[in-house]
Every structure is written in C-alpha cells, then in structure tokens.
Amino acid sequence: MFDLLGTVFGAFDHSLRPGIRETIDSLRESGYQVDFWTSGRVEHYEQLLRQAGIKGEIYKKSAELPRKPDVCIDDEPQDWMPGHLYKVEMHFSQDTPGPEILVAEVLFVNEKANFFWD
C-alpha cells in the first residue's frame, strides 16, 4: 500500500517520485498487489495516477480496507497503519526529489518482519 502525497507524488508539485513507476511495475510483475491510499481527495489522485499511466485502486486512509496490506509505504507512517511500516523520505518536488524506492527494500521490510514474527 503506497501513500500518494509525498510518497508517490511530490508534496509541492505532484511530480512523480523518481523511479516510482518502475518500482510499482516490478512489484506487480513479481506477483504483488499494489494499491494506494490517501488522506486527500480520491478523485484528484485517480486523475494524477491516470495521467502518469499508473493503474491501481485508491482508498481513503480513514476507511476500512478490503484486505490487510503486507507493507505500508509512507513518508509519515503512523502506528495505526496495518501491515509492516516502511518510512521513506518525503518527495517534495521535481526540483527536490525524494530518493527512489527500491523493490528490494520493500521486499526486505516484509521478509525481515515475517522472519522475526513468524
């Protein structure tokens, strides 16, 4: 589950985080379901994802999710979030980008947590 503002899209200009499309595509090609959530307006982010050529369901952070995500990737993760939390640096804008989110890092967060808690 990817947060949108500050994680996928720039907090100031809604630019795409560097490499995010490739990360999402790689996760999906590896068989993982990738969805999104936001505290903002879902319709607004549906349009931004569509313009970026990224498909996926968007959920409100305040609503019940249809399934528990394995990993929640967020620039401001909260204790109430389900699954394993992966904090990333905020992506502000095209001129002040956040670092790429690598597939290996996302999978490591999930595998490491499963190793310790299984």
Side-chain angles (χ1 to χ4, degrees):
M1 183 70 68
F2 280 84
D3 172 55
L4 289 165
L5 186 62
T7 301
V8 172
F9 294 107
F12 296 152
D13 66 359
H14 293 120
S15 63
L16 276 179
R17 175 184 289 268
I20 194 67
R21 185 179 295 117
E22 294 80 7
T23 297
I24 291 167
D25 289 346
S26 293
L27 286 167
R28 288 180 172 153
E29 288 168 7
S30 296
Y32 294 94
Q33 182 172 343
V34 176
D35 291 318
F36 308 93
W37 66 357
T38 184
S39 297
R41 289 186 13 249
V42 170
E43 300 80 19
H44 173 70
Y45 288 103
E46 286 173 336
Q47 181 180 7
L48 288 174
L49 284 175
R50 199 170 31 256
Q51 289 171 347
I54 300 173
K55 295 180 182 181
E57 294 294 322
I58 302 174
Y59 301 98
K60 292 288 291 181
K61 284 185 176 178
S62 60
E64 187 174 334
L65 297 173
R67 63 177 178 75
K68 180 182 174 187
D70 292 328
V71 179
C72 290
I73 302 160
D74 204 305
D75 59 300
E76 295 181 340
Q78 307 292 314
D79 289 339
W80 60 264
M81 293 178 175
H84 309 299
L85 303 181
Y86 179 41
K87 181 179 181 3
V88 296
E89 290 183 42
M90 182 179 282
H91 171 60
F92 289 101
S93 67
Q94 187 172 349
D95 295 331
T96 312
E100 287 189 33
I101 299 171
L102 304 176
V103 172
E105 293 172 349
V106 174
L107 297 179
F108 178 75
V109 167
N110 190 46
E111 291 304 314
K112 178 177 136 186
N114 286 334
F115 175 78
F116 287 110
W117 299 112
D118 279 349

